[in-house]
């Protein structure tokens, strides 16, 4: 393939296609009626013969890979009818599970030429292809992503979070005149962003603690991991889904500390970072044969080594003699909260590329589990500290 074909309407200038693209599949729960030319009986289905004739008459205007998928859709329906909603979903780049299954079970072989075999790609095209192979286990999804990705919007969430974390760290470093092991400075906990058990009623601290790091060694590893893993994931799955997993890991991390390590403060973005990495690694393991990225075993080993080093540093710091007794150093339990989110909610998100999460029963199960944990942690924070008569360190 030469130049990367620009994404656009499947049938440019075609009146029927224009009407199709104007449809919003999610606007109504019922199936939209097909145009009379395709579906005279207004049944919500079109015949495969008419569908094929449409493809043939406009084949020169079709994106080559989208034509492959359309033909596979036609071949997969032995009953001679195609659900019009599937057609609309394809045109609007929204695919349902039933559509994916129809493609996977079709008689036509989609992977006639893998993306890895294509030559003459530009640098940006090779980057998009690399991201596709790094994150997606199915060739049809990789081709779909490669054709439809436009970098609009760019992966702004992970980049913005990273820049904010670096900016707050630099500001705090200048204020304390300390960049290495900032957490050992006697005034470190006075910052209003840190989660502190005595100030747990200040709800913003359950989120803002991610902008405080123990030192440049803590920040550096978190930033590298969330950029190398988080940015490609956001390019594929979007800011909304990846931001949801990241922030769910952040909240789970601070709440886990408030339940399991009740006297310790929390700092760092490790809860969100570990949620993303755990979800990605679990997805790779569960789809090992489908993942075609180069050196995947080495990549996993490096990621696990980095995670282990960061977790080991956090455990060592937690039990190291405190610089501000009787308050201990920050807890490591937030890492575990992030991992729990990653292997539950995160895996469901990554395994359902471009699929509606609300259609997945497993998604609702994990959402219910997460909600129950959050409610339990909230009540724990309200009542358990008093009932246990726990002696907390004084406020900073």
């Amino acid at each position: 393939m030469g130049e990367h074909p620009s994404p656009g309407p499947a049938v440019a200038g075609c009146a029927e296609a224009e009407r199709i693209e104007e449809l919003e599949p999610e606007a109504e729960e019922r199936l939209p009626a097909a145009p009379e030319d395709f579906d005279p009986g207004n049944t919500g289905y079109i015949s495969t013969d008419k569908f094929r004739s449409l493809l043939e008459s406009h084949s020169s205007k079709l994106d080559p890979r989208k034509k492959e998928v359309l033909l596979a859709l036609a071949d997969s329906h032995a009953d001679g009818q195609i659900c019009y909603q599937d057609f609309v979903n394809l045109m609007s780049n929204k695919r349902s599970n039933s559509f994916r299954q129809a493609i996977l079970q079709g008689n036509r072989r989609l992977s006639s030429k893998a993306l890895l075999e294509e030559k003459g790609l530009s640098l940006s095209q090779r980057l998009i292809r690399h991201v596709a192979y790094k994150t997606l286990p199915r060739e049809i999804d990789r081709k779909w992503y490669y054709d439809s990705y436009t970098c609009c919007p760019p992966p702004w969430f992970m980049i913005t979070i990273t820049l904010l974390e670096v900016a707050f760290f630099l500001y705090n470093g200048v204020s304390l005149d300390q960049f290495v092991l900032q957490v050992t400075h006697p005034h470190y906990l006075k910052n209003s962003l840190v989660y502190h058990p005595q100030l747990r009623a200040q709800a913003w601290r359950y989120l803002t603690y991610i902008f405080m790091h123990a030192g440049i060694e803590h920040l550096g590893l978190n930033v590298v991991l969330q950029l190398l893993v988080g940015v490609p994931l956001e390019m594929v799955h979007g800011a909304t889904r990846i931001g949801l997993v990241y922030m769910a890991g952040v909240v789970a991390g601070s709440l886990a500390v408030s339940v399991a390590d009740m006297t310790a403060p929390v700092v760092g973005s490790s809860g969100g970072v570990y949620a993303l990495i755990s979800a990605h690694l679990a997805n790779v393991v569960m789809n090992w044969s489908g993942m075609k990225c180069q050196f995947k075993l080495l990549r996993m080993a490096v990621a696990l080594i980095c995670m282990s080093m960061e977790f080991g540093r956090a455990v060592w710091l937690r039990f190291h003699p405190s610089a501000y007794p009787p308050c201990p150093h920050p807890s490591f339990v937030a890492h575990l909260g992030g991992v729990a989110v990653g292997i539950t909610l995160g895996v469901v998100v990554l395994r359902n590329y471009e699929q509606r999460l609300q259609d997945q029963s497993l998604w609702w199960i994990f959402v219910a589990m997460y909600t129950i944990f959050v409610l339990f942690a909230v009540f724990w924070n309200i009542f358990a500290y008093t009932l246990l008569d726990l002696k907390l360190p004084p406020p900073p």
Side-chain angles (χ1 to χ4, degrees), residues 155-171:
W156 60 269
F157 177 80
M158 294 308 308
I159 293 174
T160 302
I161 285 288
T162 301
L163 291 177
L164 287 174
E165 290 170 2
V166 172
F168 277 105
F169 174 79
L170 293 176
Y171 173 79

Side-chain angles (χ1 to χ4, degrees), residues 64 127 194:
L127 174 62
V194 176

Side-chain angles (χ1 to χ4, degrees), residues 100-116:
R100 166 178 280 179
Q101 292 302 318
I103 296 301
L104 293 179
Q105 296 171 6
N107 298 321
R108 181 181 172 84
R109 298 182 62 87
L110 287 173
S111 54
S112 56
K113 184 177 183 182
L115 284 177
L116 284 177

Side-chain angles (χ1 to χ4, degrees), residues 121-156:
L121 302 182
S122 66
L123 180 61
S124 61
Q125 291 169 341
R126 290 199 297 270
L127 174 62
I128 295 171
R129 182 177 65 178
H130 171 75
V131 169
Y133 275 93
K134 181 180 178 181
T135 57
L136 296 171
R138 301 178 182 88
E139 184 67 16
I140 183 174
D141 287 338
R142 290 191 284 260
K143 287 185 174 184
W144 187 277
Y145 167 75
Y146 178 80
D147 284 334
S148 61
Y149 183 72
T150 61
C151 198
C152 184
W156 60 269

